[in-house]
Amino acid sequence: MTPPPARRRRRTDGDSATPRLALPRRGSVRRSQMITTYGVGSLIAVDNESFIVSGIDDAYRSWSLDEAPIISEHRLARVLGVSHFRLPPASEDTSKDGVRVRRFPLWHSCPNCRALQHVRDFNPPAGKNVCTDCDDEPLVPSRFVVACEDGHLDDFPYWKWLHRKNREEGATGRCGGQLSMRFSGRSASLRAVIIACTCGVPEVSMEGAFRRSALTDLGVRCEGRKPWLKGAPAEFCSQAPRTLQRGSSAVWQPVLKSALSIPPWSDGVADKLAEHWERLRSLASREKIEIYLMGAFQGDDSVSIDAVMELLEAEQEEDPGQEGDSDAGAVVRYQALRRQEYERLCTGNASRDKGREEQFICEPPVSDPAVLDPFGVGRPMLVKRLREVRALKAFTRVADPETGSEGHEAPLSLIPTDWLPALEVRGEGVFVRLDESRLDDWADSVEVAARVKQMRTNHERMLRERATDPADVPSSPATPRMVLLHTLAHVLINEWSLDAGYPASALRERLYTDATMAGFLIYTATSDSAGSLGGVVAQGEPDRLAEALHSALRRAAWCSADPLCIEARPSGVGGVNRSACHACVMLPETSCEHNNILLDRALLVGTPEDPHLGFFADMVAG
């Protein structure tokens, strides 16, 4: 987290007489972490201090954009309703700019005098976080914060927690006493954290503070605060506040959206047209577009009328009849985005037909794919070059990542912006597709349908229980096709992690599993050239893929937790998994699109009681 170093710089928004404030550098993180770990609204610990990452509002200059290059990915920008993306500012020592942070939580304690109060009441010098009564003893930020499912965040109400049985002073938190925090040392539990007040009320521990209704029972309601947004007014909130550990992953979960750069958007022409799209859309004929291009791109042969017309036609196909920024339109556009990727992965894009600027190279293997026929796997595609853009759309708090739903999204800015922070990564991969006719015949089995129906029912029940508005509950994506492809991708990633030279955490899945798609892409994507060394593409050759599938299915047939794993009833949070555990098919969270839910290896290899339940049962038996 790197606010700009001490210097003064003129503003460029027309008010040159107003210098930009200079703030000291407090720490550093990698650019990629600004999207996945320490994005807007998250808490970050720097030494003995704690901060919250500010929003991206240009009005308050929370983010410095001087060193934030523009990233273009037209299809994803259309889905998210922005014009472009920006790479987060760098945090290296050579960087001049950075990201603003604000101190949070504001309640601190002194380990020496044990005082517990707002940080300003310690009267620390500017830029420091110390207790002036204890010879500049470093203060400790509160371990506990309060959040709600709408994304609001606040300090823990220590006064109300302590004075729960002595409410005559009112709800203002003013009793004339001084709060203190100490640790009994008897255990490492919350019972050892003791809160006291000099007003004489009985001291209490923090035991029970994490109960779902603990704060609601005390009459504490969410104040609707957004400390990551400067000037954001408190708003009415009907959500129940929850106590969380400051460093808990439940305090901040990113809502990420991603897209692959595919033809015709992947050859660099679309980037050159970024500033001209609105004008080009308004021109009604090919002749008018050609005249406009002649004036705007004189001497640039790469921007041809045929290329522009192809882009305009592709944009229309990806947005079928859904205009505006409605949620329904965004969902349809995102589905169309995935479907376009699937079609391009199926057809391919040979490198010999494209130049060095092409960001998507997808070719069939040279050898005969007939060796894969017994597995019901069609001709694989070798994605020798790919580019993925991952954008931070929003974030959630309190929501359980294992539900597979995004929950209530909290905004990144106080006022709407025309950009979002994003990360551009490049890599390689292998696209695997199953025979749809064979897949449909298997999915029609009564036993298979019944097994997946139970998973779907449990998932939808969990989504309803955790939804504030029943009308907004999304449907579960669990189908026999989806669960099978999802589990197969997991076991194949585990197998390739032993052969491809990458750990499982460096491989990712991208599923294409609706009624018209039946495939998945396993790829590695990094922000440098290490993602394109050929180790994954080599696994896509039919002979090696057949060998990997056979070995992966053999491994999936037996788990070190068997017979408990294979014979267990619905498992995981909410019973959304069946035969799946960390010893067999689960992956690191960076690799799975669905947070390790909706998995069942029995659909791959069958069970001891019903071996024919598995799609690949014959291959395992053989």
Side-chain angles (χ1 to χ4, degrees):
M1 214 46 42
T2 55
R7 62 193 178 104
R8 301 182 72 85
R9 182 170 50 190
R10 300 286 183 183
R11 293 176 63 132
T12 58
D13 55 0
D15 186 9
S16 59
T18 304
R20 183 175 177 178
L21 296 177
L23 296 175
R25 185 185 298 270
R26 306 307 293 248
S28 64
V29 297
R30 296 191 303 273
R31 267 180 163 166
S32 60
Q33 291 180 306
M34 290 302 303
I35 303 297
T36 59
T37 310
Y38 299 121
V40 171
S42 66
L43 297 182
I44 177 172
V46 180
D47 296 328
N48 63 324
E49 299 178 274
S50 177
F51 301 94
I52 190 169
V53 181
S54 298
I56 63 176
D57 306 69
D58 284 344
Y60 298 108
R61 293 297 188 267
S62 296
W63 281 46
S64 303
L65 303 182
D66 294 357
E67 295 187 0
I70 292 178
I71 298 176
S72 298
E73 177 46 55
H74 187 78
R75 298 188 310 133
L76 186 60
R78 289 267 290 169
V79 171
L80 300 182
V82 296
S83 63
H84 63 280
F85 305 99
R86 284 188 179 271
L87 194 67
S91 61
E92 291 79 10
D93 293 337
T94 58
S95 172
K96 297 179 180 179
D97 289 316
V99 175
R100 300 289 181 93
V101 295
R102 309 179 193 280
R103 191 177 299 282
F104 190 87
L106 297 178
W107 274 67
H108 289 57
S109 62
C110 175
N112 188 26
C113 66
R114 299 179 179 176
L116 174 65
Q117 57 191 2
H118 195 285
V119 64
R120 65 170 177 264
D121 295 330
F122 287 98
N123 297 318
K128 293 187 177 181
N129 191 40
V130 296
C131 178
T132 54
D133 294 335
C134 299
D135 297 327
D136 291 346
E137 177 75 20
L139 297 176
V140 178
S142 170
R143 287 173 50 190
F144 312 104
V145 295
V146 173
C148 79
E149 292 186 5
D150 278 347
H152 301 129
L153 190 67
D154 207 346
D155 283 277
F156 184 82
Y158 288 103
W159 189 91
K160 292 183 179 180
W161 181 256
L162 174 61
H163 294 77
R164 67 183 77 176
K165 297 181 180 179
N166 189 15
R167 305 289 295 276
E168 61 268 14
E169 293 91 346
T172 62
R174 300 180 182 275
C175 63
Q178 170 66 52
L179 295 183
S180 65
M181 175 184 287
R182 64 181 177 85
F183 300 90
S184 67
R186 297 176 181 177
S187 68
S189 67
L190 293 176
R191 184 178 299 180
V193 183
I194 307 299
I195 310 298
C197 182
T198 57
C199 71
V201 298
E203 62 182 19
V204 299
S205 72
M206 290 296 295
E207 185 179 21
F210 285 82
R211 288 188 298 106
R212 182 178 294 270
S213 61
L215 298 179
T216 305
D217 293 343
L218 295 180
V220 177
R221 66 180 183 87
C222 179
E223 299 292 339
R225 301 188 187 279
K226 301 176 181 178
W228 67 98
L229 300 177
K230 182 178 180 181
E235 58 188 18
F236 172 78
C237 179
S238 60
Q239 298 288 345
R242 294 276 303 276
T243 303
L244 298 174
Q245 288 272 12
R246 172 164 52 91
S248 168
S249 61
V251 172
W252 190 85
Q253 285 286 337
V255 177
L256 299 175
K257 296 294 183 180
S258 67
L260 301 180
S261 295
I262 60 173
W265 306 99
S266 56
D267 59 1
V269 176
D271 297 347
K272 299 178 181 180
L273 298 172
E275 299 179 358
H276 306 275
W277 270 115
E278 293 300 327
R279 178 60 177 162
L280 291 172
R281 290 194 195 103
S282 65
L283 298 176
S285 66
R286 180 186 177 96
E287 291 75 15
K288 292 182 179 180
I289 293 175
E290 188 170 12
I291 294 173
Y292 179 83
L293 293 177
M294 291 176 61
F297 296 95
Q298 292 182 359
D300 191 347
D301 297 335
S302 64
V303 184
S304 65
I305 180 62
D306 292 334
V308 174
M309 295 305 297
E310 184 180 10
L311 291 174
L312 291 173
E313 292 174 2
E315 181 183 79
Q316 190 65 28
E317 292 177 0
E318 293 165 7
D319 192 15
Q322 293 288 344
E323 299 295 337
D325 297 328
S326 66
D327 293 340
V331 170
V332 170
R333 286 194 296 270
Y334 197 71
Q335 291 173 343
L337 181 148
R338 283 292 179 111
R339 191 167 292 107
Q340 291 287 331
E341 292 178 4
Y342 180 77
E343 293 173 357
R344 178 55 64 176
L345 287 167
C346 291
T347 57
N349 182 41
S351 58
R352 61 180 177 272
D353 299 331
K354 299 294 179 180
R356 295 182 60 184
E357 298 298 323
E358 179 59 47
Q359 299 166 338
F360 180 85
I361 302 297
C362 180
E363 301 176 347
V366 178
S367 56
D368 187 2
V371 67
L372 297 171
D373 291 344
F375 294 93
V377 174
R379 182 186 65 178
M381 298 297 288
L382 310 181
V383 187
K384 298 182 178 180
R385 191 187 304 170
L386 66 83
R387 172 181 178 264
E388 181 190 24
V389 174
R390 303 171 193 162
L392 177 62
K393 177 188 177 185
F395 64 88
T396 62
R397 302 197 197 278
V398 182
D400 189 340
E402 293 186 350
T403 63
S405 63
E406 294 177 347
H408 302 275
E409 298 178 359
L412 303 183
S413 60
L414 183 60
I415 57 176
T417 63
D418 64 345
W419 65 277
L420 289 173
L423 187 67
E424 178 187 45
V425 293
R426 302 174 186 272
E428 58 174 351
V430 175
F431 176 67
V432 178
R433 182 173 50 159
L434 295 187
D435 184 332
E436 292 194 50
S437 60
R438 178 174 169 180
L439 189 58
D440 290 338
D441 292 341
W442 168 82
D444 289 338
S445 168
V446 175
E447 294 79 8
V448 171
R451 192 174 179 94
V452 176
K453 181 180 179 181
Q454 187 177 23
M455 298 170 63
R456 181 183 180 90
T457 300
N458 292 341
H459 191 210
E460 290 181 339
R461 183 183 66 249
M462 184 170 60
L463 293 175
R464 288 194 301 269
E465 291 174 350
R466 299 181 179 181
T468 303
D469 185 358
D472 293 335
V473 178
S475 60
S476 172
T479 62
R481 176 179 296 200
M482 181 269 173
V483 176
L484 174 69
L485 287 166
H486 188 201
T487 311
L488 179 61
H490 276 228
V491 299
L492 202 52
I493 287 175
N494 279 327
E495 183 66 26
W496 282 355
S497 68
L498 303 175
D499 297 331
Y502 294 98
S505 59
L507 299 176
R508 296 169 61 90
E509 67 176 3
R510 194 169 181 86
L511 303 177
Y512 303 90
T513 60
D514 69 7
T516 61
M517 301 184 291
F520 57 84
L521 173 68
I522 296 178
Y523 65 105
T524 176
T526 67
S527 55
D528 56 28
S529 60
S532 303
L533 300 179
V536 174
V537 167
Q539 306 300 315
E541 291 294 336
D543 291 339
R544 299 195 67 173
L545 180 57
E547 182 180 348
L549 283 171
H550 190 267
S551 178
L553 293 172
R554 287 283 190 177
R555 292 178 187 273
W558 176 253
C559 171
S560 60
D562 280 343
L564 179 63
C565 179
I566 196 68
E567 296 179 356
R569 292 297 180 181
S571 61
V573 177
V576 294
N577 285 336
R578 287 300 298 264
S579 299
C581 70
H582 287 284
C584 52
V585 300
M586 289 188 177
L587 292 176
E589 61 181 14
T590 56
S591 302
C592 180
E593 282 195 310
H594 293 280
N595 298 297
N596 277 325
I597 66 171
L598 305 179
L599 296 166
D600 185 8
R601 64 187 173 94
L603 296 186
L604 298 178
V605 298
T607 64
E609 294 79 12
D610 188 3
H612 297 289
L613 181 69
F615 183 82
F616 302 100
D618 294 339
M619 300 305 302
V620 175

